[in-house]
Amino acid sequence: MIGYVIAVSLSCLVGVAELVSRYRDRPTTLIRVPSTWVYVLINGAAGAGSLLLLHTFDWRFGVHSPDVSAATQILVASLGSMMVFRSAVFTVRVGDEDVAVGPSTLLTALLAAADRGVDRMQAKTRAHEAGEIMRGVSFAKAKLALPTYCLGLLQNVSAEDQADLRTAVDALAGSEMTDGQMALNLGLLLMNVAGPDVLRSAVETLRDEIMADDPEDAAVPPPRGRLLGDGEGRARADPARSDPDQ
């Protein structure tokens, strides 16, 4: 039984690592998405199934020691299931794309479902955080300093990720959006790489250098679901949200 536990754990760990690598800014969100659990459990079931087959056919791979044979079977089952479930029998040309047909098709579909589930769950939180962090920031002043500072704070960002970020920022600078809209999107781009906590610290450190001269020029609208402060420091509800007839 302990062998099955180890094989399932190793296979599940591979699935978790795949998902965490896709959501670096807030990996804990994965816990609340059912499709991510399905993806991880499918990986674990594949490891258990592979080990069951090895036991059924008594494949020992030429090893005579019972303990060494059991360890070998566990490793082969875990690693073998990873390779089999990520393999393709053949490739079909559909339009302009090559579509792999095989066990990997199932995992690709489950991974896509997990992506959509996590994106839907993170979208509202990311919108609030980006609006709060980037409020008052001038894109014209921050487009070079803020990404450079965030990347400097991080020690393990690959050269490819850095180049992709610079390309995205350059494309944003060439758009026809307002300065406030570009600042908001800059915050979302940096959150993808650094996460909200690092971005918030970077903005606070550079605030005197990257704030807009005229706050109206870089006005990032507050999230509509939040409370608006009145002139006396108290909080009042947004009338557009509190009155369903408006």
Side-chain angles (χ1 to χ4, degrees):
M1 180 59 67
I2 189 66
Y4 285 96
V5 173
I6 296 175
V8 170
S9 299
L10 290 175
S11 300
C12 288
L13 185 61
V14 174
V16 171
E18 283 184 302
L19 293 171
V20 169
S21 67
R22 300 170 74 90
Y23 300 98
R24 293 166 293 182
D25 62 331
R26 197 178 293 274
T28 54
T29 307
L30 298 170
I31 299 175
R32 296 178 289 166
V33 181
S35 54
T36 63
W37 286 96
V38 174
Y39 183 79
V40 172
L41 291 177
I42 287 291
N43 281 271
S50 298
L51 186 57
L52 178 61
L53 289 175
L54 294 180
H55 287 166
T56 301
F57 293 101
D58 195 26
W59 288 342
R60 297 178 179 273
F61 305 100
V63 180
H64 300 289
S65 172
D67 293 337
V68 177
S69 175
T72 302
Q73 288 177 329
I74 292 172
L75 291 176
V76 171
S78 302
L79 299 176
S81 64
M82 299 174 197
M83 292 185 291
V84 170
F85 264 76
R86 287 158 180 80
S87 63
V89 179
F90 56 90
T91 302
V92 177
R93 186 75 174 179
V94 179
D96 296 331
E97 297 182 358
D98 292 328
V99 179
V101 178
S104 62
T105 305
L106 173 61
L107 288 186
T108 300
L110 290 174
L111 191 58
D115 285 342
R116 290 191 295 270
V118 174
D119 283 343
R120 286 192 294 267
M121 184 164 292
Q122 286 187 327
K124 184 176 180 180
T125 301
R126 284 165 55 83
H128 286 309
E129 290 179 333
E132 291 173 356
I133 295 172
M134 301 300 291
R135 184 164 299 117
V137 173
S138 168
F139 177 80
K141 294 182 178 181
K143 64 180 180 180
L144 179 60
L146 189 58
T148 303
Y149 188 60
C150 285
L151 292 176
L153 293 174
L154 302 173
Q155 298 181 353
N156 298 307
V157 181
S158 66
E160 181 181 359
D161 288 342
Q162 294 185 39
D164 290 342
L165 176 61
R166 175 50 55 194
T167 300
V169 173
D170 290 342
L172 192 60
S175 68
E176 297 181 356
M177 290 184 286
T178 64
D179 190 87
Q181 293 168 345
M182 288 189 290
L184 184 59
N185 282 279
L186 175 63
L188 291 172
L189 290 174
L190 292 175
M191 284 172 60
N192 292 338
V193 177
D197 294 334
V198 173
L199 176 61
R200 182 178 288 106
S201 298
V203 170
E204 288 299 324
T205 303
L206 297 174
R207 181 164 296 277
D208 293 339
E209 303 291 334
I210 62 177
M211 291 296 291
D213 297 329
D214 184 358
E216 294 298 327
D217 293 339
V220 175
R224 298 223 17 191
R226 296 296 179 85
L227 294 178
L228 304 177
D230 58 21
E232 299 177 1
R234 296 187 300 272
R236 59 183 176 85
D238 182 355
R241 301 289 288 183
S242 60
D243 187 354
D245 296 330
Q246 294 185 2

